[in-house]
Amino acid sequence: MKNVTFKQFRYFEALARHGHFGRAAEACAISQPALSMQIKALEEELGAALFERDRRQIRLTSFGEEIARRAREILRSLDELEGYARASRGGLVGRLRIGVIPTIAPYLLPGLIAELTRLYEGLDLHVRETLTPRLVQELNEGRLDMAIVALPVSEPSLAEASLFTEDFVLVRPRRDEGKPVPNREALKEMRLLLLEEGHCFRDQALSFCNRSPHAAQPRDLLDASSLSTLVQMVEAGLGVTLVPEMAVAVETRSASVSVARFRTPQPSRTIGMVWRRTSPLAQQLLQIADVVRASAAALRQSGAAT
């Protein structure tokens, strides 16, 4: 075991996660042959095969599954050591790995990244956009430092900080402009366009309409993979949809649709930041939270002015 390196563990963890040499090599920013050589060297050092290989796929052996679990613990501890070192230097410097859900990332990130870069010259930002369950998993595995998501997440291992609340608006075809805004009961009878399963925004929209996210859905519900696609479907006359306020300016600027607000109480969501309770960067992340709040406020102001 004297010749096992942390780098080999990172390559092994990437391959275990992706299940594909090419994708793992790309994630590690090395060539596929180099990755293969490092995995082979690790197997030789450990004295047992970590993966079963055939022409179509690779999978972890039972030994490999146990090593993968232990490797993630080792890498998470190593990342926390790095975090303690950064925290001891004070300020915000070095790598910061941020996760963001897709219904926030395209709208908040441009201004947020610009502001973080301006305020903290020594910050090396890495951004990951994916769904909340994956972000929570990657936080717990030490592959992210923080994530911006819809609250609550209710994960015991994670700390939460509320950032801001935003309303949902109704997007409907242009021909419906000026018509009364439907209440939640009327909305239940309309063809509602939603994001596909897995998006928390889908569940929030269904909750407003008094439809259970877990119940079988009627056939008049149509799914899309992005808010942009939803708005385009509305423009084509396929139905109506709900969109978070921060997305309105971007997604409707070139679409022939009508935007309307619901009567009080309006549907809304709380956006927050989450991080591991054991993170040594907790104080620095609270500073980041203040920057996110300011960026979101600026985004809302610019949207109100357009």
Side-chain angles (χ1 to χ4, degrees):
M1 287 290 291
K2 291 182 179 180
N3 295 323
V4 172
T5 67
F6 288 122
K7 183 176 292 187
Q8 286 175 331
F9 274 145
R10 290 200 185 279
Y11 294 162
F12 164 64
E13 192 278 332
L15 184 56
R17 175 163 32 100
H18 290 282
H20 187 277
F21 275 96
R23 290 193 291 271
E26 182 178 357
C28 295
I30 62 171
S31 68
Q32 185 170 328
L35 177 71
S36 298
M37 288 178 60
Q38 290 294 331
I39 297 300
K40 182 178 180 181
L42 179 61
E43 288 180 321
E44 289 176 351
E45 185 66 26
L46 295 174
L50 296 168
F51 296 96
E52 297 177 20
R53 302 167 173 84
D54 59 36
R55 292 183 178 181
R56 302 182 61 181
Q57 63 180 350
I58 64 169
R59 60 176 66 87
L60 286 165
T61 62
S62 57
F63 175 70
E65 289 178 353
E66 178 62 21
I67 295 299
R69 183 184 66 81
R70 293 174 181 265
R72 291 188 187 103
E73 293 175 355
I74 291 169
L75 293 173
R76 183 168 58 246
S77 296
L78 183 64
D79 285 336
E80 288 189 356
L81 282 176
E82 180 185 345
Y84 279 115
R86 282 186 283 164
S88 68
R89 295 195 295 268
L92 281 163
V93 295
R95 181 183 59 174
L96 182 68
R97 301 163 300 176
I98 301 174
V100 192
I101 57 176
T103 56
I104 295 175
Y107 321 108
L108 182 64
L109 281 181
L112 175 60
I113 291 174
E115 187 66 4
L116 288 173
T117 302
R118 184 185 69 83
L119 292 173
Y120 307 106
E121 294 182 0
L123 206 56
D124 177 21
L125 292 172
H126 295 250
V127 178
R128 166 91 160 119
E129 177 186 340
T130 190
L131 302 179
T132 299
R134 180 61 61 86
L135 292 177
V136 169
Q137 178 185 348
E138 295 185 8
L139 275 168
N140 283 325
E141 292 176 355
R143 290 189 274 130
L144 290 173
D145 297 307
M146 53 160 280
I148 301 173
V149 298
L151 297 182
V153 172
S154 303
E155 177 75 14
S157 61
L158 300 181
E160 299 182 0
S162 176
L163 297 172
F164 59 92
T165 298
E166 67 169 344
D167 295 330
F168 303 160
V169 300
L170 176 68
V171 179
R172 51 187 177 174
R174 177 73 72 184
R175 64 176 181 269
D176 292 341
E177 190 166 5
K179 291 183 178 180
V181 179
N183 59 24
R184 64 175 66 194
E185 293 303 318
L187 198 60
K188 288 172 64 175
E189 305 303 319
M190 304 174 74
R191 172 174 280 187
L192 185 61
L193 311 178
L194 298 169
L195 292 175
E196 61 191 0
E197 290 187 8
H199 289 267
C200 56
F201 184 71
R202 172 192 175 92
D203 296 343
Q204 293 156 354
L206 287 172
S207 176
F208 173 67
C209 301
N210 288 327
R211 289 173 168 173
S212 170
H214 308 292
Q217 301 301 335
R219 297 178 65 181
D220 60 349
L221 293 181
L222 299 179
D223 295 346
S225 60
S226 69
L227 295 176
S228 177
T229 301
L230 287 178
V231 173
Q232 292 171 22
M233 291 164 70
V234 171
E235 183 179 23
L238 296 181
V240 301
T241 192
L242 303 186
V243 170
E245 195 172 17
M246 73 166 64
V248 172
V250 171
E251 301 301 352
T252 65
R253 60 189 171 195
S254 60
S256 180
V257 294
S258 171
V259 177
R261 287 188 172 274
F262 293 97
R263 294 180 180 178
T264 303
Q266 297 183 41
S268 64
R269 66 177 178 177
T270 299
I271 302 303
M273 206 170 84
V274 294
W275 62 91
R276 290 185 304 282
R277 293 187 181 277
T278 57
S279 173
L281 296 175
Q283 291 304 311
Q284 286 84 350
L285 294 178
L286 289 173
Q287 296 177 40
I288 295 290
D290 289 337
V291 180
V292 178
R293 291 187 186 98
S295 295
L299 180 63
R300 289 196 296 272
Q301 290 175 0
S302 65
T306 56

